[in-house]
Amino acid sequence: MIARILATAIIELHIARRNLWVVIAVGLMVVFSLVLSAVGSAPIGELGADRLSVTVASLTSLSVYLVPLVALLMSFDAVAGEAERGTLPLLLTYPVARWEVLAGKLLAHCAILIIALVAGYGAAAAIAIVNDPAALSGIGALWRLTWTSSLLGATFLGIGYALSSLARRTSGAAGLAIGLWLGSVVLYDLALLAAVVADNGGSFTKNVFPAALLANPADAFRLFNLTASQAGGVAAGIGGAAGTIPQWQSLMSILLWPVFALWLASAAFRKVEP
Amino acid sequence: MTSTLTISNLTKDFGGVKALSEVSMHVAPGERVALLGHNGAGKSTMMKVILGLVAADSGEISVCGAAPGDADARSKVAYLPENAMFHSALTGLEQISYYMRLRGEDSVGAMALLDKVGLGAAAKRRIGTYSKGMRQRVGLAQALIGHPRLLVLDEPTSGLDPVSRRDFYELLDALAAEGAAILLSSHALTEVEARTDRLLILSRGRMVAEGSLAELRRDAALPVAMHITAINGYDADILAAIPNAIRVNDAVHVTCSQDEKLATLAQVAAMKGKIADIEVIPPSLEDIYSHFSRRDGQ
Ligand SMILES: Nc1ncnc2c1ncn2[C@@H]1O[C@H](COP(=O)(O)OP(=O)(O)O)[C@@H](O)[C@H]1O
Ligand SMILES: [Mg+2]
């Protein structure tokens, strides 16, 4: 079992390296992290937070968009691509379980994502620490951001595999992936914000809103990192609600989503008839 | 000896299109069976059902004692799809190493396997740069991994040149000698007849004939043709002596049933002073094949 998962991970790494996915993912994360740390370095001092914690707060806002996007881009092709290329029927006649195939792909894609995260966050953190050695006190926040980003990535990789299995064609899978990204990280928050404004402090804001935030893996990720960080005040908008939701709840959402997404992916993949 | 593959009354319908109807067959260990049929006859569908890729509507199938697609069956069956495809970014060596690991084999043997199918020199090049024949060989190489009890090969020689075909059938002979059961499909009867133990002819999803070539030839009872070249000026005598003889260009053609063959030859032999040459032409393989595949409903 382990041997088959590892074999699949190795082959996926070969493919990702040749398709330049490793380079693209790392490049995206590094460039955006550097741009952010250059732009976001202005308001220190007034907030009483160290420079690294401020950087982590801006990286959190960036990662909410970028990590799901990169994960979906890496995963939408996983099943649909194999079906379209005609490599899937042969693979499914091998003595390998379907979930093992997905686990192998997940392992490889997670590895690439973690490399990209470490490179991007590392670059931004290095700049913060070089400019202000006291920023080292924010290293805990950076570590927290790194592992929660990895889990967020795993969640969207799983969702991407599920979409890929449902769509069966890469063009359809790409459309679904982009739609899902827009819906979950952009429109979802806008809709919630609009509802909160309209509700004006009523029962929606008190009861439904916190649950709606926790139900979305991207919001739970932002919530967890902002609640945990002393620089919570830096964030505006939805982040302002962070204080009212206990941290263990957003942690549960962060931990449960990857499991659920992978279950979803294997359920969808099991239904694929090549 | 029990069969490696047994199918009884297999039926598969694709939204109104009967791809397979009431098909029964079996393949014994060490036996090489050819599945013949025109395009669309149902050969690929039957193979996909055997592999568990497509679910049958009804019928019983036993693959190495298990249900099609079972983990147990998959570990004992090798498949070569029609137009085998692989990821173009991978090298032949990476692809075969991967398949070996999936079968629990040590991937150090990958290079030897690629050498066996004549891809040793190209092993480290990307599959995207391979010709169709080379891709087909990657497909063959993966079908040879481990010791499959059953090989299901969908048009395995398409895209191969004649020399590679001969090498391919030699590989098959060796596998069959070790006890592997082999089911391969083709639409060229001439190619498989000398290399397989039994032929199955599928026509529009029905099994229309089954047996060795000699048996099929006898069952078809197709007429025998004789081409007679007369010594100058004697054609008229021959045409007069043999009732159903006709003139075609410079020769005299005679057609008779299998039963009349010896009697007709005796008539011809009686005129040996007037005949320069005679050629007896048995029904061709393609004639026999067409006979069985057309007889059904046409
Ligand atoms: N997935 C499918 N959906 C609908 N029809 C199919 C499908 N696969 C095969 N068929 C039909 O089943 C028949 C048999 O096809 P196939 O088994 O591929 O034939 P062969 O391999 O003998 O050329 C054809 O009429 C084909 O159109
Ligand atoms: Mg076919």
Side-chain angles (χ1 to χ4, degrees):
Chain A
M1 177 189 91
I2 299 291
R4 290 188 294 266
I5 294 175
L6 282 180
T8 307
I10 290 168
I11 214 79
E12 287 295 328
L13 282 174
H14 283 311
I15 293 172
R17 198 158 44 85
R18 308 246 163 86
N19 287 351
L20 299 179
W21 261 118
V22 181
V23 176
I24 292 169
V26 171
L28 270 177
M29 284 309 299
V30 171
V31 167
F32 277 95
S33 301
L34 288 181
V35 166
L36 249 186
S37 65
V39 172
S41 58
I44 37 157
E46 298 146 38
L47 293 157
D50 65 88
R51 195 178 182 123
L52 186 54
S53 295
V54 176
T55 302
V56 166
S58 6
L59 286 177
T60 303
S61 311
L62 168 76
S63 302
V64 163
Y65 297 100
L66 208 51
V67 169
L69 183 67
V70 171
L72 287 171
L73 287 178
M74 277 199 292
S75 58
F76 81 87
D77 184 62
V79 176
E82 298 240 17
E84 208 162 286
R85 272 194 304 278
T87 54
L88 192 59
L90 181 58
L91 180 61
L92 294 182
T93 65
Y94 269 77
V96 56
R98 294 192 182 198
W99 73 265
E100 290 171 343
V101 172
L102 285 185
K105 287 177 187 276
L106 179 75
L107 198 61
H109 293 153
C110 274
I112 295 165
L113 200 70
I114 290 172
I115 291 169
L117 289 173
V118 167
Y121 296 169
I127 288 180
I129 293 169
V130 164
N131 285 333
D132 171 17
L136 267 174
S137 61
I139 209 89
L142 183 71
W143 164 242
R144 192 167 50 233
L145 177 67
T146 310
W147 67 258
T148 50
S149 297
S150 306
L151 290 176
L152 180 66
T155 298
F156 277 88
L157 284 172
I159 293 174
Y161 301 146
L163 295 180
S164 193
S165 307
L166 292 175
R168 311 287 303 282
R169 301 203 67 81
T170 43
S171 51
L176 283 179
I178 294 297
L180 184 100
W181 179 77
L182 270 178
S184 62
V185 309
V186 182
L187 300 179
Y188 192 87
D189 289 358
L190 286 179
L192 281 188
L193 210 54
V196 166
V197 169
D199 187 49
N200 198 17
S203 76
F204 176 86
T205 313
K206 287 204 198 76
N207 304 320
V208 183
F209 178 66
L213 280 184
L214 289 172
N216 183 330
D219 284 329
F221 163 83
R222 177 161 35 200
L223 215 52
F224 178 77
N225 279 290
L226 295 184
T227 328
S229 157
Q230 291 94 26
V234 178
I238 292 274
T244 65
I245 298 173
Q247 200 184 348
W248 68 269
Q249 291 185 356
S250 50
L251 179 65
M252 285 310 284
S253 175
I254 287 175
L255 294 177
L256 290 178
W257 256 108
V259 178
F260 177 64
L262 292 175
W263 174 83
L264 213 63
S266 42
F269 189 31
R270 246 197 320 269
K271 293 231 155 52
V272 173
E273 208 183 78
Chain B
M1 207 168 199
T2 61
S3 290
T4 305
L5 170 68
T6 313
I7 294 179
S8 43
N9 301 316
L10 166 63
T11 294
K12 176 71 192 175
D13 200 303
F14 283 116
V17 180
K18 270 248 186 292
L20 295 169
S21 9
E22 300 287 316
V23 173
S24 299
M25 54 96 71
H26 63 94
V27 185
E31 199 181 20
R32 298 160 303 170
V33 174
L35 186 60
L36 299 164
H38 292 301
N39 290 328
K43 306 181 295 292
S44 299
T45 304
M46 182 156 133
M47 292 185 158
K48 285 180 187 159
V49 170
I50 293 168
L51 291 153
L53 293 173
V54 166
D57 292 340
S58 64
E60 271 123 57
I61 305 139
S62 159
V63 182
C64 303
D70 258 20
D72 195 34
R74 278 184 286 152
S75 68
K76 292 175 183 156
V77 180
Y79 174 46
L80 172 62
E82 189 174 18
N83 305 318
M85 295 304 292
F86 306 96
H87 201 295
S88 59
L90 296 171
T91 67
L93 189 60
E94 287 165 348
Q95 186 71 75
I96 292 300
S97 301
Y98 175 47
Y99 286 135
M100 293 185 87
R101 291 195 189 109
L102 288 185
R103 287 212 183 275
E105 298 275 322
D106 192 343
S107 62
V108 292
M111 200 64 206
L113 202 52
L114 286 163
D115 272 331
K116 204 165 166 180
V117 297
L119 278 181
K124 293 188 174 152
R125 261 169 47 201
R126 292 185 192 191
I127 296 177
T129 67
Y130 286 12
S131 69
K132 182 178 188 309
M134 290 166 84
R135 274 207 312 273
Q136 191 73 5
R137 287 160 196 241
V138 177
L140 286 178
Q142 64 81 31
L144 301 175
I145 294 171
H147 294 276
R149 305 307 306 146
L150 171 66
L151 284 100
V152 178
L153 311 170
D154 202 349
E155 302 195 12
T157 55
S158 74
L160 293 187
D161 56 71
V163 175
S164 317
R165 281 179 194 207
R166 204 190 54 212
D167 296 344
F168 162 73
Y169 282 110
E170 270 161 22
L171 286 175
L172 282 198
D173 293 347
L175 286 165
E178 287 171 15
I182 298 168
L183 177 67
L184 63 91
S185 74
S186 176
H187 44 231
L189 176 59
T190 14
E191 188 195 308
V192 298
E193 55 96 15
R195 293 307 208 149
T196 51
D197 304 309
R198 204 145 51 82
L199 307 174
L200 303 173
I201 301 181
L202 210 54
S203 173
R204 300 192 193 176
R206 290 176 184 284
M207 194 70 83
V208 292
E210 176 183 355
S212 66
L213 183 65
E215 288 165 343
L216 295 184
R217 190 169 261 155
R218 198 187 57 224
D219 291 352
L222 291 174
V224 183
M226 292 177 204
H227 292 183
I228 301 165
T229 313
I231 291 174
N232 274 342
Y234 287 117
D235 338 14
D237 296 14
I238 297 168
L239 286 168
I242 303 171
N244 54 354
I246 52 164
R247 191 201 304 268
V248 177
N249 297 329
D250 289 339
V252 176
H253 285 192
V254 181
T255 308
C256 65
S257 71
Q258 295 281 352
D259 297 345
E260 300 162 346
K261 189 162 71 180
L262 286 178
T264 311
L265 274 175
Q267 280 183 308
V268 174
M271 296 185 288
K272 67 173 183 256
K274 302 171 180 172
I275 292 174
D277 193 18
I278 175 164
E279 236 183 313
V280 179
I281 301 162
S284 77
L285 301 172
E286 305 305 340
D287 290 340
I288 294 172
Y289 171 50
S290 301
H291 169 80
F292 283 111
S293 59
R294 295 235 177 86
R295 188 178 61 179
D296 182 63
Q298 285 193 17

